[in-house]
Amino acid sequence: AYFFIDLSGNLGLQCKLLHELKTQRNSSIQVNFVNENETFCSSSSDYHWFNSVNIIPFHQLETIDKIDKECPHGPDYQCRCALTRNVELNSGTHYFVTVDCSNQGLTELPSELPPFTTSLNISNNNITHLDFLGTNQNYMNLMNIYADNNRIESITVLEGSRFIDKFTALSLRNNNIRVIPKYLLSNVFDRNNYQKVVHLGKNKLPCDCSTAQVLKVWLLANKLHINDYDELLCENFNNMRVVDLDQAKVCVYPRDWTDYIYYIIAIEIFLFVLLISKVTYDYWVFKTTGYLPWPASKMPRLPCDWFFEL
């Protein structure tokens, strides 16, 4: 049976119900919508596809089907995808997608993402690296990534990637990051004013004198970009905050013989001055009295003595 229905002008229709009606698979019933271009639906708070949009054009429900099939999934996980907004360009309508893969037990980034994915949440997983951000073309439009509470060890893989040039938010709180690549982030911060935000809190670093002298100063200088700059910890100082490190206490080294070299040099200079003074005094006595003082007269003659006898 074929049914034709005109729902145009009814802004109170629920997108969830229309989507189910449009995608129903009962072969005995075929529903055809009239005036689709003038039909709109309202997204409900529990309908995850349009979390940030209220009134949706009916034709965008087809986009839902497409993105639903492309949303990352596997035998033991299912991510959630949401259409955040559409942009009308000369080349057509382009949409932006937010992907939520948090709490899925993932050990690596999803290999596939829907086109035009701009935001990805992979928090609360067991991911150890971010290699796909630099190598996977499916991540080329990504601008925000939230990867808190994972086991990521390094972000140097982002160097030279498109993501590091265009991102607006990078959250890596409570991971296993042990080195902060200051050169990489400084280059990004210097070129983009205050548009980029990085979260690194709760990572535990192996701190040393360089941490107190360099990293601490760098964090304070970039606190507008690194909002949780005061939550980076030192694993070898009882989880003390990096910004609380005291150079006078951290930059302490065991003494060796080179620490006394200045004392040795000072003593040598003193003895040399004393020797010159003694020789000068003996010479003055000899010129005024005609004989040398007793210590000098008992010393053996040296080849250079003739110079003073002239």
Side-chain angles (χ1 to χ4, degrees):
Y2 292 88
F3 293 90
F4 293 87
I5 185 171
D6 185 356
L7 298 175
S8 59
N10 295 285
L11 300 181
L13 297 173
Q14 294 296 314
C15 289
K16 183 176 182 179
L17 297 178
L18 286 184
H19 184 225
E20 292 175 352
L21 184 62
K22 183 178 178 64
T23 58
Q24 56 83 25
R25 296 293 183 265
N26 191 335
S27 59
S28 63
I29 300 176
Q30 180 67 47
V31 178
N32 296 283
F33 291 89
V34 180
N35 295 325
E36 290 188 3
N37 292 335
E38 299 178 7
T39 302
F40 297 85
C41 61
S42 175
S43 62
S44 60
S45 59
D46 60 347
Y47 191 39
H48 71 273
W49 274 107
F50 297 100
N51 289 332
S52 61
V53 185
N54 293 322
I55 303 301
I56 310 301
F58 180 78
H59 65 82
Q60 287 188 6
L61 294 181
E62 296 180 357
T63 304
I64 293 179
D65 293 334
K66 181 176 183 295
I67 298 176
D68 201 13
K69 296 176 182 178
E70 297 171 340
C71 196
H73 62 277
D76 53 358
Y77 75 93
Q78 175 63 60
C79 299
R80 291 163 54 91
C81 296
L83 185 66
T84 55
R85 63 190 178 95
N86 282 5
V87 177
E88 298 292 339
L89 301 175
N90 294 333
S91 57
T93 301
H94 293 271
Y95 52 85
F96 296 117
V97 179
T98 295
V99 178
D100 183 359
C101 293
S102 60
N103 301 292
Q104 297 293 320
L106 300 177
T107 57
E108 63 179 8
L109 294 174
S111 59
E112 301 288 339
L113 291 177
F116 304 106
T117 296
T118 58
S119 182
L120 173 63
N121 186 355
I122 52 171
S123 298
N124 304 315
N125 285 291
N126 296 308
I127 295 172
T128 59
H129 62 84
L130 299 173
D131 292 355
F132 281 167
L133 291 180
T135 60
N136 194 320
Q137 290 298 313
N138 291 308
Y139 287 76
M140 64 182 300
N141 294 305
L142 197 64
M143 299 179 64
N144 306 301
I145 185 166
Y146 305 92
D148 301 339
N149 305 316
N150 279 279
R151 296 188 296 167
I152 298 168
E153 300 177 354
S154 174
I155 60 174
T156 55
V157 67
L158 301 180
E159 184 174 4
S161 66
R162 294 187 60 177
F163 176 80
I164 200 66
D165 290 329
K166 64 189 300 185
F167 85 93
T168 56
L170 173 62
S171 186
L172 297 167
R173 291 175 56 83
N174 194 29
N175 276 274
N176 294 337
I177 297 175
R178 298 176 60 81
V179 177
I180 306 299
K182 299 183 294 296
Y183 69 94
L184 175 61
L185 295 177
S186 293
N187 187 41
V188 174
F189 295 158
D190 293 343
R191 290 187 288 109
N192 293 276
N193 297 324
Y194 304 111
Q195 299 176 0
K196 299 183 182 294
V197 177
V198 177
H199 294 95
L200 298 170
K202 303 303 181 181
N203 283 286
K204 299 179 180 180
L205 312 179
C207 297
D208 54 19
C209 184
S210 176
T211 308
Q213 292 179 332
V214 181
L215 181 59
K216 174 183 175 180
V217 176
W218 181 82
L219 288 173
L220 294 173
N222 291 280
K223 60 184 180 181
L224 293 179
H225 293 286
I226 306 175
N227 298 149
D228 56 354
Y229 71 97
D230 57 345
E231 295 184 46
L232 272 171
L233 307 176
C234 294
E235 65 175 4
N236 53 333
F237 284 91
N238 296 322
N239 291 332
M240 177 186 291
R241 300 190 308 171
V242 171
V243 294
D244 291 335
L245 289 177
D246 186 351
Q247 292 187 36
K249 296 180 179 179
V250 177
C251 301
V252 177
Y253 302 98
R255 288 181 172 272
D256 57 21
W257 70 271
T258 59
D259 294 333
Y260 302 97
I261 191 67
Y262 296 109
Y263 297 104
I264 296 174
I265 293 174
I267 293 173
E268 290 178 343
I269 293 175
F270 173 75
L271 293 176
F272 179 74
V273 172
L274 184 63
L275 177 61
I276 295 298
S277 300
K278 180 64 172 67
V279 171
T280 303
Y281 172 75
D282 290 345
Y283 178 74
W284 177 78
V285 171
F286 177 75
K287 286 296 185 180
T288 55
T289 63
Y291 64 89
L292 291 172
W294 180 82
S297 63
K298 299 301 181 180
M299 293 178 61
R301 293 177 62 85
L302 299 175
C304 61
D305 287 345
W306 65 269
F307 176 79
F308 296 98
E309 295 175 355
L310 295 178

